[in-house]
Amino acid sequence: QAGRVHRNMDYVGIFRADLPRAYQAVDKHSPAGTEGLSIPTMTVLQQHCGFWDRDNDGRIYPMDTYQGCREVGMSVLLSLGFTWLLHFTLLVPYMTQDSWILNPYLCIYLKNIHRIKHASDTGVFDEE
C-alpha cells in the first residue's frame, strides 16, 4: 500500500499524509500546501531549523531559541539549559559562521546549518 498511487480521480486530500513534502506545508485541509508559503530555496534541514528563527532574518539568536523552547512547552529551566547547550557551548554558532571571528551575539546562521551535520547523522532530513 505504501508506494501505490491513488487511482480515484474524485479523491480530494492527501494520499500519504505521513510522507513529508520537502517544499510544501500540506495537511488534510490544504492538500496543495499552505497558501502564500514560498520556501523553495530552503533545504529541508533549513526549513526544520527555521522554526527557531522567530523573526525570519536567517539567524537564530539565543533569545529566539529560548522563546521557541517555551512555545513547544518546555519549562523555564529546561529552556534555559537547552539554549545554553546550543548557543553557549560555541560549537554550533562557530560552525555556522561565515568567518573565523565569532559573532558576539552567538547567533546560528541558517544558510550554513548544513555544516553541523556529522557522519553519524541518520539522514532523516532528506526530501522524502
Side-chain angles (χ1 to χ4, degrees):
Q1 289 268 1
R4 297 172 115 182
V5 176
H6 200 284
R7 302 282 184 221
N8 185 354
M9 297 306 245
D10 297 329
Y11 179 77
V12 176
I14 302 169
F15 177 60
R16 288 278 315 268
D18 62 321
L19 183 67
R21 274 68 175 178
Y23 299 116
Q24 295 176 335
V26 299
D27 61 16
K28 69 179 187 176
H29 302 294
S30 53
T34 304
E35 293 288 329
L37 183 64
S38 177
I39 49 175
T41 59
M42 294 177 72
T43 66
V44 178
L45 181 60
Q46 288 171 332
Q47 291 176 43
H48 173 75
C49 297
F51 167 78
W52 306 99
D53 184 14
R54 312 309 286 174
D55 52 2
N56 295 319
D57 64 351
R59 297 182 296 257
I60 304 171
Y61 292 96
M63 187 52 114
D64 294 335
T65 303
Y66 174 78
Q67 290 172 346
C69 288
R70 295 293 292 148
E71 188 174 315
V72 297
M74 291 183 179
S75 68
V76 172
L77 190 59
L78 188 58
S79 298
L80 287 171
F82 182 76
T83 301
W84 177 83
L85 181 67
L86 190 64
H87 289 272
F88 296 99
T89 59
L90 301 182
L91 178 63
V92 175
Y94 184 71
M95 290 178 68
T96 62
Q97 299 295 308
D98 285 329
S99 70
W100 289 99
I101 301 170
L102 184 64
N103 185 312
Y105 296 108
L106 302 175
C107 63
I108 297 168
Y109 289 87
L110 280 179
K111 68 179 179 177
N112 298 327
I113 200 72
H114 64 279
R115 294 180 185 169
I116 64 168
K117 289 186 71 173
H118 48 85
S120 67
D121 280 342
T122 60
V124 296
F125 296 109
D126 64 4
E127 293 170 0
E128 293 299 326

